[in-house]
C-alpha cells in the first residue's frame, strides 16, 4: 500500500512538472503583449511590422506543425517533447538580447527571427504534449484537455505578474531572458516523466503530412476549423492593438495594462476548469457553440463606446477582454474531443491517429488564428477601420461563424451518422454521447 502511495505521488509530481512545462510556454507568450508593442513603437516600428512580429511565433507554429505531421512517431515523440521547449527557451533569450542590438528595422528583423525560432520549438512541444499526457493519464480526455488548457491559462495569468516584476528588476530584455532560462530548466525537470511514460506503437500507423492534412479539409472538420481560427484570432488582435490603444487613449502605464491582461487570463483559467467539468458530462457541442456567442458579445462590448462614448474606460475594456477569454476557453477545451470523435466518421481506425489529428487540427487553428489576428485583423483591419468599427467587423464575422456552427451540428444530428469508433469501449467513453440534448449521439 505504501509503495502504491509513493508511486502515485511520484506519478503526480511528474505530471505536474509536465503541466508546468506546458504553462511555461504561455508565460513567454503572455509577457509579449504588455511590453513589446509599446517598446517597438518607441523604436520606430509600424503597426504592421509589430503585427508581423507578434504573428511570427504562430506562423512558425503553423508551418512547423504541418511538417511534424509526417515526422512524429513513437520513436521520436519524446525527443520532440524534450527539445521543443529548449529551442523555444533559447529563442526567448535571444529575443530579449535583441533589444540591445541595432535599432529601428534591424531590431524588428532580429525580433522576427527570434520569434520564428521560438515558434518552431513551441510546435515541437505543443504537437506532442497532448499525446504524452494521454499516455501518462490514460482514458480521461476531459481531464487531459482541462488540465492542459488550465495550465496554459495559469501561465497567462502569471505572465503579466511575473513580467511586471521582472521588468521592474531588470528592464525589458531581462523579462525574456529570465523566462527563457526558466523554460529550459523546467524542461530538464521533465526527464522522469519522459523516461517513465510508455508510448504505444500505434503511432507508427501511416502518419504522413498529406494523410492528416486531407482530413482537416473534410467538410465537418473544416467548418469547425474555420470557427476555431476566428476565435483564436481574437487573442492575436488584442495582443497587438490593446496595449497601444490603452496607452494612447487613457495614458495608462505598464502595470495597468498588465492587470487588464491578468484579469483576462484569470477568466480563461477559471473558464477552463468549468468547461472541463461540463465536457466530462458530454456537453462538448453546447460549450463550443457558447464560445462563438461569447466572443461575438466581447467584440460588441468593444464597439459600444462608439455609440455611447461615456461608457469608454479601462474597466469596460477589461470586461470585454474577460468575455473574449471565457469564449476562447469554451472553444478550445471541448475542441479536442469534438475533432477526435468526429474524425472517427472517416477511416481513422486507431485512437492514436484520432489523437494526432485532433492535436494538429487544434494547433493548426490556434496558430493560423494567431497569424491572422495580429497581422491581418490587428495590423491592417484595425488600422484601416479604426478600433470601434473593426471590433464591429469582427462581431459580424463571428455571427457568420455561429450560423456555420449551427449548420454543421444540425447536419450531423439530422444525418444520424455513426461517426464514432465501432469499439464499444470508445463509444462508452465518448464525451459527446453521455448526455442528450445538443450532444451528438451514435445510432447503433
Amino acid at each position: 500500500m505504501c509503495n502504491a502511495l509513493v508511486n502515485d505521488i511520484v506519478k503526480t509530481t511528474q505530471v505536474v512538472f509536465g503541466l508546468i512545462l506546458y504553462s511555461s510556454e504561455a508565460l513567454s507568450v503572455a509577457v509579449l503583449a504588455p511590453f513589446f508593442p509599446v517598446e517597438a513603437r518607441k523604436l520606430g516600428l509600424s503597426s504592421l511590422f509589430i503585427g508581423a512580429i507578434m504573428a511570427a511565433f504562430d506562423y512558425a507554429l503553423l508551418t512547423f506543425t504541418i511538417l511534424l505531421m509526417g515526422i512524429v512517431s513513437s520513436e521520436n515523440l519524446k525527443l520532440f517533447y524534450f527539445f521543443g521547449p529548449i529551442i523555444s527557451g533559447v529563442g526567448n533569450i535571444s529575443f530579449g538580447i535583441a533589444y540591445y542590438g541595432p535599432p529601428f528595422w534591424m531590431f524588428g528583423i532580429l525580433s522576427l527571427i527570434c520569434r520564428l525560432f521560438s515558434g518552431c520549438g513551441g510546435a515541437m512541444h505543443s504537437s506532442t504534449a497532448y499525446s504524452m499526457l494521454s499516455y501518462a493519464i490514460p482514458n480521461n480526455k476531459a481531464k487531459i484537455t482541462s488540465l492542459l488548457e488550465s495550465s496554459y491559462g495559469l501561465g497567462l495569468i502569471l505572465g503579466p505578474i511575473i513580467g511586471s516584476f521582472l521588468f521592474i528588476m531588470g528592464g525589458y530584455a531581462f523579462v525574456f531572458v529570465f523566462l527563457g532560462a526558466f523554460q529550459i530548466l523546467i524542461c530538464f525537470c521533465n526527464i522522469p516523466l519522459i523516461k517513465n511514460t510508455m508510448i504505444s506503437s500505434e503511432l507508427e500507423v501511416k502518419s504522413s503530412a498529406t494523410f492528416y492534412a486531407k482530413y482537416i479539409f473534410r467538410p465537418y472538420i473544416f467548418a469547425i476549423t474555420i470557427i476555431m481560427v476566428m476565435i483564436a484570432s481574437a487573442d492575436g488582435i488584442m495582443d497587438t492593438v490593446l496595449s497601444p490603444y490603452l496607452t494612447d487613449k487613457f495614458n495608462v502605464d505598464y502595470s495597468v495594462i498588465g492587470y487588464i491582461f491578468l484579469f483576462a487570463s484569470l477568466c480563461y483559467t477559471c473558464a477552463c476548469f468549468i468547461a472541463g467539468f461540463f465536457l466530462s458530462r458530454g456537453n462538448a457541442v453546447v460549450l463550443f457553440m457558447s464560445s462563438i456567442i461569447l466572443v461575438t458579445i466581447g467584440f460588441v462590448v468593444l464597439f459600444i463606446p462608439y455609440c455611447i462614448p461615456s461608457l469608454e474606460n479601462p474597466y469596460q475594456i477589461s470586461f470585454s477582454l474577460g468575455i473574449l477569454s471565457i469564449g476562447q476557453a469554451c472553444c478550445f477545451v471541448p475542441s479536442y474531443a469534438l475533432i477526435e470523435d468526429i474524425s472517427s466518421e472517416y477511416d481513422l481506425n486507431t485512437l492514436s491517429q484520432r489523437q494526432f489529428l485532433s492535436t494538429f487540427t487544434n494547433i493548426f487553428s490556434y496558430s493560423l488564428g494567431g497569424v491572422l489576428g495580429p497581422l491581418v485583423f490587428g495590423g491592417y483591419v484595425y488600422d484601416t477601420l479604426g478600433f470601434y468599427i473593426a471590433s464591429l467587423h469582427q462581431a459580424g464575422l463571428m455571427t457568420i461563424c455561429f450560423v456555420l456552427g449551427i449548420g454543421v451540428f444540425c447536419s450531423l444530428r439530422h444525418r444520424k451518422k455513426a461517426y464514432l469508433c465501432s469499439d464499444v469501449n470508445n463509444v462508452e467513453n465518448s464525451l459527446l454521447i453521455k448526455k442528450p440534448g445538443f450532444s451528438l449521439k451514435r445510432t447503433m
Side-chain angles (χ1 to χ4, degrees), residues 375-436:
L375 189 59
V376 177
F377 298 126
Y380 177 76
V381 175
Y382 270 74
D383 263 5
T384 304
L385 301 180
F387 187 83
Y388 304 113
I389 302 300
S391 297
L392 183 63
H393 172 268
Q394 295 304 120
L397 292 178
M398 291 310 304
T399 303
I400 296 173
C401 288
F402 181 79
V403 175
L404 179 62
I406 289 290
V408 167
F409 293 118
C410 285
S411 175
L412 282 169
R413 190 183 179 109
H414 178 71
R415 285 162 53 120
K416 294 183 179 179
K417 197 165 183 178
Y419 63 90
L420 293 178
C421 181
S422 58
D423 187 346
V424 176
N425 291 327
N426 286 336
V427 172
E428 291 176 350
N429 291 329
S430 172
L431 300 174
L432 300 179
I433 62 175
K434 289 185 178 180
K435 292 286 184 181

Side-chain angles (χ1 to χ4, degrees), residues 114-137:
C114 292
R115 291 301 293 169
L116 288 171
F117 194 72
S118 294
C120 292
M124 294 169 65
H125 183 241
S126 300
S127 300
T128 53
Y130 179 71
S131 296
M132 178 69 74
L133 289 180
S134 293
Y135 288 106
I137 313 173

Side-chain angles (χ1 to χ4, degrees), residues 313-333:
N313 57 72
Y315 297 105
Q316 172 255 341
I317 300 294
S318 300
F319 177 69
S320 172
L321 204 58
I323 296 176
L324 290 173
S325 298
I326 294 172
Q328 288 180 318
C330 291
C331 170
F332 287 104
V333 169

Side-chain angles (χ1 to χ4, degrees), residues 175-356:
V175 175
F176 298 96
V177 172
F178 181 90
L179 291 178
F182 174 77
Q183 198 170 4
I184 295 172
L185 175 64
I186 292 299
C187 187
F188 283 95
C189 295
N190 270 257
I191 291 177
L193 174 66
I194 296 171
K195 290 177 62 177
N196 297 328
T197 301
M198 301 298 296
I199 305 298
S200 171
S201 60
E202 279 186 346
L203 294 175
E204 300 297 338
V205 182
K206 53 177 183 178
S207 58
S208 67
T210 53
F211 173 75
Y212 287 113
K214 69 179 181 180
Y215 288 99
I216 295 180
F217 294 99
R218 296 291 178 92
Y220 295 135
I221 296 178
F222 183 65
I224 292 176
T225 301
I226 291 175
I227 297 171
M228 290 168 61
V229 167
M230 292 305 302
I231 292 176
S233 68
D235 197 29
I237 292 170
M238 293 298 103
D239 283 351
T240 304
V241 306
L242 202 57
S243 292
Y245 174 79
L246 290 169
T247 303
D248 297 339
K249 195 74 176 180
F250 304 107
N251 196 28
V252 298
D253 57 18
Y254 282 128
S255 61
V256 176
I257 296 174
Y259 285 132
I260 290 175
F261 279 101
L262 170 63
F263 174 74
S265 302
L266 182 62
C267 290
Y268 181 86
T269 303
C270 293
C272 284
F273 282 109
I274 297 172
F277 173 79
F278 284 105
L279 179 61
S280 65
R281 280 150 179 78
N283 295 306
V285 177
V286 176
L287 283 170
F288 192 82
M289 294 304 299
S290 298
S291 71
I292 306 174
I293 298 173
L294 288 168
V295 173
T296 305
I297 293 173
F299 280 117
V300 170
V301 172
L302 288 175
F303 169 74
I304 287 176
Y306 181 80
C307 302
I308 312 175
S310 60
L311 294 179
E312 187 176 46
N313 57 72
Y315 297 105
Q316 172 255 341
I317 300 294
S318 300
F319 177 69
S320 172
L321 204 58
I323 296 176
L324 290 173
S325 298
I326 294 172
Q328 288 180 318
C330 291
C331 170
F332 287 104
V333 169
S335 60
Y336 286 92
L338 282 172
I339 298 297
E340 186 177 318
D341 284 343
I342 291 176
S343 64
S344 58
E345 179 182 342
Y346 308 114
D347 57 342
L348 288 173
N349 299 318
T350 69
L351 178 60
S352 294
Q353 287 178 332
R354 294 194 296 274
Q355 284 179 348
F356 268 102

